[in-house]
PDB file of all heavy atoms in Angstrom:
ATOM      1  N   LEU A1383       3.143  -8.637  -8.091  1.00 94.00           N
ATOM      2  CA  LEU A1383       3.456  -7.461  -7.286  1.00 94.00           C
ATOM      3  C   LEU A1383       2.175  -6.684  -6.985  1.00 94.00           C
ATOM      4  O   LEU A1383       1.417  -6.345  -7.894  1.00 94.00           O
ATOM      5  CB  LEU A1383       4.457  -6.569  -8.023  1.00 94.00           C
ATOM      6  CG  LEU A1383       4.994  -5.355  -7.271  1.00 94.00           C
ATOM      7  CD1 LEU A1383       5.800  -5.789  -6.040  1.00 94.00           C
ATOM      8  CD2 LEU A1383       5.870  -4.511  -8.197  1.00 94.00           C
ATOM      9  N   ALA A1384       1.934  -6.397  -5.699  1.00 92.00           N
ATOM     10  CA  ALA A1384       0.684  -5.747  -5.301  1.00 92.00           C
ATOM     11  C   ALA A1384       0.737  -4.230  -5.447  1.00 92.00           C
ATOM     12  O   ALA A1384      -0.298  -3.600  -5.705  1.00 92.00           O
ATOM     13  CB  ALA A1384       0.352  -6.117  -3.856  1.00 92.00           C
ATOM     14  N   HIS A1385       1.916  -3.632  -5.271  1.00 90.00           N
ATOM     15  CA  HIS A1385       2.036  -2.174  -5.334  1.00 90.00           C
ATOM     16  C   HIS A1385       3.273  -1.800  -6.145  1.00 90.00           C
ATOM     17  O   HIS A1385       4.316  -2.437  -6.028  1.00 90.00           O
ATOM     18  CB  HIS A1385       2.143  -1.581  -3.930  1.00 90.00           C
ATOM     19  CG  HIS A1385       1.017  -1.968  -3.022  1.00 90.00           C
ATOM     20  ND1 HIS A1385      -0.257  -1.498  -3.192  1.00 90.00           N
ATOM     21  CD2 HIS A1385       0.981  -2.822  -1.953  1.00 90.00           C
ATOM     22  CE1 HIS A1385      -1.041  -2.021  -2.263  1.00 90.00           C
ATOM     23  NE2 HIS A1385      -0.318  -2.830  -1.505  1.00 90.00           N
ATOM     24  N   SER A1386       3.141  -0.765  -6.958  1.00 86.00           N
ATOM     25  CA  SER A1386       4.259  -0.336  -7.801  1.00 86.00           C
ATOM     26  C   SER A1386       5.443   0.081  -6.943  1.00 86.00           C
ATOM     27  O   SER A1386       5.275   0.651  -5.856  1.00 86.00           O
ATOM     28  CB  SER A1386       3.834   0.827  -8.702  1.00 86.00           C
ATOM     29  OG  SER A1386       2.782   0.443  -9.557  1.00 86.00           O
ATOM     30  N   ARG A1387       6.641  -0.211  -7.440  1.00 88.00           N
ATOM     31  CA  ARG A1387       7.875   0.178  -6.738  1.00 88.00           C
ATOM     32  C   ARG A1387       8.783   0.909  -7.715  1.00 88.00           C
ATOM     33  O   ARG A1387       9.023   0.441  -8.836  1.00 88.00           O
ATOM     34  CB  ARG A1387       8.608  -1.058  -6.194  1.00 88.00           C
ATOM     35  CG  ARG A1387       7.812  -1.873  -5.187  1.00 88.00           C
ATOM     36  CD  ARG A1387       7.458  -1.063  -3.949  1.00 88.00           C
ATOM     37  NE  ARG A1387       8.621  -0.683  -3.173  1.00 88.00           N
ATOM     38  CZ  ARG A1387       9.013  -1.320  -2.067  1.00 88.00           C
ATOM     39  NH1 ARG A1387       8.339  -2.373  -1.621  1.00 88.00           N
ATOM     40  NH2 ARG A1387      10.068  -0.906  -1.392  1.00 88.00           N
ATOM     41  N   ARG A1388       9.279   2.066  -7.295  1.00 83.00           N
ATOM     42  CA  ARG A1388      10.229   2.821  -8.096  1.00 83.00           C
ATOM     43  C   ARG A1388      11.637   2.461  -7.648  1.00 83.00           C
ATOM     44  O   ARG A1388      11.987   2.575  -6.463  1.00 83.00           O
ATOM     45  CB  ARG A1388      10.005   4.324  -7.900  1.00 83.00           C
ATOM     46  CG  ARG A1388       8.692   4.847  -8.441  1.00 83.00           C
ATOM     47  CD  ARG A1388       8.680   4.883  -9.958  1.00 83.00           C
ATOM     48  NE  ARG A1388       9.692   5.768 -10.484  1.00 83.00           N
ATOM     49  CZ  ARG A1388       9.519   7.076 -10.663  1.00 83.00           C
ATOM     50  NH1 ARG A1388       8.367   7.640 -10.331  1.00 83.00           N
ATOM     51  NH2 ARG A1388      10.480   7.821 -11.147  1.00 83.00           N
ATOM     52  N   LEU A1389      12.451   1.987  -8.581  1.00 86.00           N
ATOM     53  CA  LEU A1389      13.840   1.642  -8.310  1.00 86.00           C
ATOM     54  C   LEU A1389      14.733   2.535  -9.168  1.00 86.00           C
ATOM     55  O   LEU A1389      14.267   3.171 -10.125  1.00 86.00           O
ATOM     56  CB  LEU A1389      14.095   0.168  -8.630  1.00 86.00           C
ATOM     57  CG  LEU A1389      13.146  -0.853  -7.987  1.00 86.00           C
ATOM     58  CD1 LEU A1389      13.463  -2.252  -8.481  1.00 86.00           C
ATOM     59  CD2 LEU A1389      13.254  -0.794  -6.466  1.00 86.00           C
ATOM     60  N   ASP A1390      16.005   2.556  -8.886  1.00 78.00           N
ATOM     61  CA  ASP A1390      16.928   3.325  -9.709  1.00 78.00           C
ATOM     62  C   ASP A1390      16.951   2.761 -11.125  1.00 78.00           C
ATOM     63  O   ASP A1390      17.305   1.598 -11.329  1.00 78.00           O
ATOM     64  CB  ASP A1390      18.348   3.285  -9.117  1.00 78.00           C
ATOM     65  CG  ASP A1390      18.453   4.083  -7.828  1.00 78.00           C
ATOM     66  OD1 ASP A1390      17.582   4.948  -7.611  1.00 78.00           O
ATOM     67  OD2 ASP A1390      19.395   3.831  -7.039  1.00 78.00           O
ATOM     68  N   GLY A1391      16.565   3.579 -12.079  1.00 69.00           N
ATOM     69  CA  GLY A1391      16.647   3.173 -13.478  1.00 69.00           C
ATOM     70  C   GLY A1391      15.480   2.345 -13.979  1.00 69.00           C
ATOM     71  O   GLY A1391      15.418   2.024 -15.166  1.00 69.00           O
ATOM     72  N   ARG A1392      14.533   1.983 -13.121  1.00 76.00           N
ATOM     73  CA  ARG A1392      13.396   1.196 -13.600  1.00 76.00           C
ATOM     74  C   ARG A1392      12.226   1.329 -12.634  1.00 76.00           C
ATOM     75  O   ARG A1392      12.371   1.774 -11.500  1.00 76.00           O
ATOM     76  CB  ARG A1392      13.779  -0.274 -13.777  1.00 76.00           C
ATOM     77  CG  ARG A1392      14.102  -0.993 -12.482  1.00 76.00           C
ATOM     78  CD  ARG A1392      14.593  -2.410 -12.728  1.00 76.00           C
ATOM     79  NE  ARG A1392      13.636  -3.205 -13.467  1.00 76.00           N
ATOM     80  CZ  ARG A1392      13.804  -4.490 -13.736  1.00 76.00           C
ATOM     81  NH1 ARG A1392      14.915  -5.107 -13.376  1.00 76.00           N
ATOM     82  NH2 ARG A1392      12.889  -5.158 -14.392  1.00 76.00           N
ATOM     83  N   SER A1393      11.080   0.933 -13.121  1.00 79.00           N
ATOM     84  CA  SER A1393       9.869   0.986 -12.313  1.00 79.00           C
ATOM     85  C   SER A1393       9.147  -0.341 -12.462  1.00 79.00           C
ATOM     86  O   SER A1393       8.943  -0.828 -13.583  1.00 79.00           O
ATOM     87  CB  SER A1393       8.971   2.145 -12.780  1.00 79.00           C
ATOM     88  OG  SER A1393       7.755   2.146 -12.089  1.00 79.00           O
ATOM     89  N   LEU A1394       8.780  -0.955 -11.342  1.00 87.00           N
ATOM     90  CA  LEU A1394       8.013  -2.200 -11.348  1.00 87.00           C
ATOM     91  C   LEU A1394       6.561  -1.850 -11.047  1.00 87.00           C
ATOM     92  O   LEU A1394       6.242  -1.339  -9.983  1.00 87.00           O
ATOM     93  CB  LEU A1394       8.557  -3.185 -10.309  1.00 87.00           C
ATOM     94  CG  LEU A1394      10.025  -3.595 -10.460  1.00 87.00           C
ATOM     95  CD1 LEU A1394      10.412  -4.584  -9.361  1.00 87.00           C
ATOM     96  CD2 LEU A1394      10.281  -4.197 -11.836  1.00 87.00           C
ATOM     97  N   LYS A1395       5.667  -2.135 -12.003  1.00 83.00           N
ATOM     98  CA  LYS A1395       4.270  -1.771 -11.857  1.00 83.00           C
ATOM     99  C   LYS A1395       3.500  -2.847 -11.093  1.00 83.00           C
ATOM    100  O   LYS A1395       3.796  -4.042 -11.205  1.00 83.00           O
ATOM    101  CB  LYS A1395       3.634  -1.575 -13.234  1.00 83.00           C
ATOM    102  CG  LYS A1395       4.202  -0.417 -14.026  1.00 83.00           C
ATOM    103  CD  LYS A1395       3.774   0.904 -13.424  1.00 83.00           C
ATOM    104  CE  LYS A1395       4.235   2.076 -14.294  1.00 83.00           C
ATOM    105  NZ  LYS A1395       3.783   3.360 -13.742  1.00 83.00           N
ATOM    106  N   LYS A1396       2.479  -2.406 -10.371  1.00 85.00           N
ATOM    107  CA  LYS A1396       1.628  -3.370  -9.689  1.00 85.00           C
ATOM    108  C   LYS A1396       0.984  -4.291 -10.718  1.00 85.00           C
ATOM    109  O   LYS A1396       0.692  -3.893 -11.847  1.00 85.00           O
ATOM    110  CB  LYS A1396       0.548  -2.656  -8.875  1.00 85.00           C
ATOM    111  CG  LYS A1396      -0.515  -1.954  -9.705  1.00 85.00           C
ATOM    112  CD  LYS A1396      -1.580  -1.346  -8.807  1.00 85.00           C
ATOM    113  CE  LYS A1396      -2.662  -0.678  -9.662  1.00 85.00           C
ATOM    114  NZ  LYS A1396      -3.742  -0.113  -8.829  1.00 85.00           N
ATOM    115  N   GLY A1397       0.793  -5.551 -10.326  1.00 88.00           N
ATOM    116  CA  GLY A1397       0.247  -6.536 -11.241  1.00 88.00           C
ATOM    117  C   GLY A1397       1.305  -7.275 -12.037  1.00 88.00           C
ATOM    118  O   GLY A1397       0.993  -8.221 -12.752  1.00 88.00           O
ATOM    119  N   ARG A1398       2.548  -6.860 -11.922  1.00 88.00           N
ATOM    120  CA  ARG A1398       3.631  -7.504 -12.656  1.00 88.00           C
ATOM    121  C   ARG A1398       3.955  -8.855 -12.027  1.00 88.00           C
ATOM    122  O   ARG A1398       4.057  -8.984 -10.800  1.00 88.00           O
ATOM    123  CB  ARG A1398       4.867  -6.612 -12.643  1.00 88.00           C
ATOM    124  CG  ARG A1398       6.073  -7.166 -13.402  1.00 88.00           C
ATOM    125  CD  ARG A1398       7.260  -6.223 -13.291  1.00 88.00           C
ATOM    126  NE  ARG A1398       8.414  -6.703 -14.023  1.00 88.00           N
ATOM    127  CZ  ARG A1398       8.645  -6.461 -15.305  1.00 88.00           C
ATOM    128  NH1 ARG A1398       7.786  -5.740 -15.977  1.00 88.00           N
ATOM    129  NH2 ARG A1398       9.721  -6.922 -15.901  1.00 88.00           N
ATOM    130  N   VAL A1399       4.138  -9.860 -12.869  1.00 91.00           N
ATOM    131  CA  VAL A1399       4.588 -11.167 -12.391  1.00 91.00           C
ATOM    132  C   VAL A1399       6.104 -11.093 -12.259  1.00 91.00           C
ATOM    133  O   VAL A1399       6.828 -10.892 -13.241  1.00 91.00           O
ATOM    134  CB  VAL A1399       4.175 -12.300 -13.357  1.00 91.00           C
ATOM    135  CG1 VAL A1399       4.710 -13.642 -12.853  1.00 91.00           C
ATOM    136  CG2 VAL A1399       2.659 -12.356 -13.480  1.00 91.00           C
ATOM    137  N   LEU A1400       6.595 -11.224 -11.051  1.00 94.00           N
ATOM    138  CA  LEU A1400       8.010 -10.992 -10.761  1.00 94.00           C
ATOM    139  C   LEU A1400       8.884 -12.125 -11.285  1.00 94.00           C
ATOM    140  O   LEU A1400       8.614 -13.305 -11.056  1.00 94.00           O
ATOM    141  CB  LEU A1400       8.205 -10.860  -9.248  1.00 94.00           C
ATOM    142  CG  LEU A1400       7.476  -9.663  -8.604  1.00 94.00           C
ATOM    143  CD1 LEU A1400       7.517  -9.774  -7.098  1.00 94.00           C
ATOM    144  CD2 LEU A1400       8.090  -8.354  -9.079  1.00 94.00           C
ATOM    145  N   ASP A1401       9.959 -11.741 -12.011  1.00 92.00           N
ATOM    146  CA  ASP A1401      10.916 -12.737 -12.499  1.00 92.00           C
ATOM    147  C   ASP A1401      12.248 -12.569 -11.761  1.00 92.00           C
ATOM    148  O   ASP A1401      12.383 -11.721 -10.868  1.00 92.00           O
ATOM    149  CB  ASP A1401      11.100 -12.618 -14.015  1.00 92.00           C
ATOM    150  CG  ASP A1401      11.578 -11.242 -14.462  1.00 92.00           C
ATOM    151  OD1 ASP A1401      12.184 -10.529 -13.628  1.00 92.00           O
ATOM    152  OD2 ASP A1401      11.366 -10.883 -15.636  1.00 92.00           O
ATOM    153  N   HIS A1402      13.213 -13.360 -12.165  1.00 92.00           N
ATOM    154  CA  HIS A1402      14.500 -13.376 -11.480  1.00 92.00           C
ATOM    155  C   HIS A1402      15.169 -12.007 -11.518  1.00 92.00           C
ATOM    156  O   HIS A1402      15.706 -11.530 -10.501  1.00 92.00           O
ATOM    157  CB  HIS A1402      15.413 -14.430 -12.109  1.00 92.00           C
ATOM    158  CG  HIS A1402      16.799 -14.454 -11.516  1.00 92.00           C
ATOM    159  ND1 HIS A1402      17.071 -14.996 -10.276  1.00 92.00           N
ATOM    160  CD2 HIS A1402      17.992 -13.967 -11.993  1.00 92.00           C
ATOM    161  CE1 HIS A1402      18.360 -14.859 -10.015  1.00 92.00           C
ATOM    162  NE2 HIS A1402      18.937 -14.241 -11.036  1.00 92.00           N
ATOM    163  N   ASP A1403      15.147 -11.345 -12.686  1.00 91.00           N
ATOM    164  CA  ASP A1403      15.785 -10.030 -12.797  1.00 91.00           C
ATOM    165  C   ASP A1403      15.115  -9.005 -11.885  1.00 91.00           C
ATOM    166  O   ASP A1403      15.787  -8.138 -11.302  1.00 91.00           O
ATOM    167  CB  ASP A1403      15.730  -9.541 -14.245  1.00 91.00           C
ATOM    168  CG  ASP A1403      16.639 -10.359 -15.158  1.00 91.00           C
ATOM    169  OD1 ASP A1403      17.528 -11.051 -14.632  1.00 91.00           O
ATOM    170  OD2 ASP A1403      16.446 -10.304 -16.390  1.00 91.00           O
ATOM    171  N   ASP A1404      13.765  -9.094 -11.772  1.00 90.00           N
ATOM    172  CA  ASP A1404      13.058  -8.174 -10.879  1.00 90.00           C
ATOM    173  C   ASP A1404      13.518  -8.357  -9.435  1.00 90.00           C
ATOM    174  O   ASP A1404      13.748  -7.379  -8.708  1.00 90.00           O
ATOM    175  CB  ASP A1404      11.549  -8.412 -10.959  1.00 90.00           C
ATOM    176  CG  ASP A1404      10.989  -8.135 -12.348  1.00 90.00           C
ATOM    177  OD1 ASP A1404      11.566  -7.301 -13.064  1.00 90.00           O
ATOM    178  OD2 ASP A1404       9.970  -8.753 -12.683  1.00 90.00           O
ATOM    179  N   LEU A1405      13.655  -9.610  -9.024  1.00 94.00           N
ATOM    180  CA  LEU A1405      14.061  -9.880  -7.647  1.00 94.00           C
ATOM    181  C   LEU A1405      15.471  -9.392  -7.388  1.00 94.00           C
ATOM    182  O   LEU A1405      15.762  -8.848  -6.305  1.00 94.00           O
ATOM    183  CB  LEU A1405      13.953 -11.384  -7.356  1.00 94.00           C
ATOM    184  CG  LEU A1405      12.562 -12.014  -7.546  1.00 94.00           C
ATOM    185  CD1 LEU A1405      12.573 -13.461  -7.082  1.00 94.00           C
ATOM    186  CD2 LEU A1405      11.498 -11.226  -6.798  1.00 94.00           C
ATOM    187  N   GLU A1406      16.342  -9.540  -8.379  1.00 92.00           N
ATOM    188  CA  GLU A1406      17.715  -9.052  -8.214  1.00 92.00           C
ATOM    189  C   GLU A1406      17.723  -7.531  -8.071  1.00 92.00           C
ATOM    190  O   GLU A1406      18.478  -6.965  -7.273  1.00 92.00           O
ATOM    191  CB  GLU A1406      18.575  -9.480  -9.403  1.00 92.00           C
ATOM    192  CG  GLU A1406      18.854 -10.974  -9.459  1.00 92.00           C
ATOM    193  CD  GLU A1406      19.592 -11.469  -8.221  1.00 92.00           C
ATOM    194  OE1 GLU A1406      20.591 -10.827  -7.831  1.00 92.00           O
ATOM    195  OE2 GLU A1406      19.152 -12.479  -7.636  1.00 92.00           O
ATOM    196  N   ALA A1407      16.861  -6.857  -8.839  1.00 91.00           N
ATOM    197  CA  ALA A1407      16.791  -5.396  -8.748  1.00 91.00           C
ATOM    198  C   ALA A1407      16.258  -4.965  -7.381  1.00 91.00           C
ATOM    199  O   ALA A1407      16.720  -3.978  -6.808  1.00 91.00           O
ATOM    200  CB  ALA A1407      15.897  -4.846  -9.864  1.00 91.00           C
ATOM    201  N   LEU A1408      15.285  -5.703  -6.850  1.00 94.00           N
ATOM    202  CA  LEU A1408      14.753  -5.388  -5.528  1.00 94.00           C
ATOM    203  C   LEU A1408      15.808  -5.590  -4.446  1.00 94.00           C
ATOM    204  O   LEU A1408      15.959  -4.768  -3.532  1.00 94.00           O
ATOM    205  CB  LEU A1408      13.524  -6.264  -5.242  1.00 94.00           C
ATOM    206  CG  LEU A1408      12.255  -5.917  -6.043  1.00 94.00           C
ATOM    207  CD1 LEU A1408      11.237  -7.048  -5.930  1.00 94.00           C
ATOM    208  CD2 LEU A1408      11.644  -4.611  -5.545  1.00 94.00           C
ATOM    209  N   LYS A1409      16.543  -6.684  -4.567  1.00 93.00           N
ATOM    210  CA  LYS A1409      17.610  -6.945  -3.597  1.00 93.00           C
ATOM    211  C   LYS A1409      18.669  -5.843  -3.650  1.00 93.00           C
ATOM    212  O   LYS A1409      19.148  -5.371  -2.612  1.00 93.00           O
ATOM    213  CB  LYS A1409      18.247  -8.309  -3.869  1.00 93.00           C
ATOM    214  CG  LYS A1409      17.339  -9.498  -3.593  1.00 93.00           C
ATOM    215  CD  LYS A1409      18.029 -10.797  -4.005  1.00 93.00           C
ATOM    216  CE  LYS A1409      17.107 -11.989  -3.856  1.00 93.00           C
ATOM    217  NZ  LYS A1409      17.736 -13.253  -4.335  1.00 93.00           N
ATOM    218  N   ALA A1410      19.039  -5.456  -4.888  1.00 90.00           N
ATOM    219  CA  ALA A1410      20.055  -4.412  -5.043  1.00 90.00           C
ATOM    220  C   ALA A1410      19.603  -3.085  -4.439  1.00 90.00           C
ATOM    221  O   ALA A1410      20.422  -2.264  -4.019  1.00 90.00           O
ATOM    222  CB  ALA A1410      20.383  -4.225  -6.524  1.00 90.00           C
ATOM    223  N   ALA A1411      18.275  -2.882  -4.394  1.00 91.00           N
ATOM    224  CA  ALA A1411      17.733  -1.657  -3.812  1.00 91.00           C
ATOM    225  C   ALA A1411      17.575  -1.775  -2.297  1.00 91.00           C
ATOM    226  O   ALA A1411      17.057  -0.850  -1.655  1.00 91.00           O
ATOM    227  CB  ALA A1411      16.388  -1.334  -4.450  1.00 91.00           C
ATOM    228  N   GLY A1412      18.005  -2.917  -1.730  1.00 93.00           N
ATOM    229  CA  GLY A1412      17.927  -3.094  -0.286  1.00 93.00           C
ATOM    230  C   GLY A1412      16.554  -3.473   0.223  1.00 93.00           C
ATOM    231  O   GLY A1412      16.245  -3.298   1.406  1.00 93.00           O
ATOM    232  N   ILE A1413      15.694  -3.998  -0.673  1.00 94.00           N
ATOM    233  CA  ILE A1413      14.337  -4.389  -0.282  1.00 94.00           C
ATOM    234  C   ILE A1413      14.316  -5.881   0.030  1.00 94.00           C
ATOM    235  O   ILE A1413      14.665  -6.704  -0.833  1.00 94.00           O
ATOM    236  CB  ILE A1413      13.329  -4.060  -1.405  1.00 94.00           C
ATOM    237  CG1 ILE A1413      13.341  -2.543  -1.666  1.00 94.00           C
ATOM    238  CG2 ILE A1413      11.928  -4.535  -1.050  1.00 94.00           C
ATOM    239  CD1 ILE A1413      12.546  -2.133  -2.886  1.00 94.00           C
TER     240      ILE A1413
END
């Protein structure tokens, strides 16, 4: 992940290697 993203209930920091749960959270946020 190149830039941090704030989602409901969690925060994905830049530099994070995205896993399946992260992608599901992004999809749920409409991203």
Side-chain angles (χ1 to χ4, degrees):
L1383 185 64
H1385 305 290
S1386 299
R1387 299 299 294 260
R1388 293 288 298 274
L1389 308 176
D1390 290 340
R1392 67 185 302 184
S1393 175
L1394 301 180
K1395 295 289 185 178
K1396 69 177 182 178
R1398 181 182 181 87
V1399 178
L1400 297 169
D1401 58 23
H1402 176 75
D1403 290 342
D1404 297 332
L1405 302 186
E1406 290 300 312
L1408 288 166
K1409 292 175 185 176
I1413 299 171

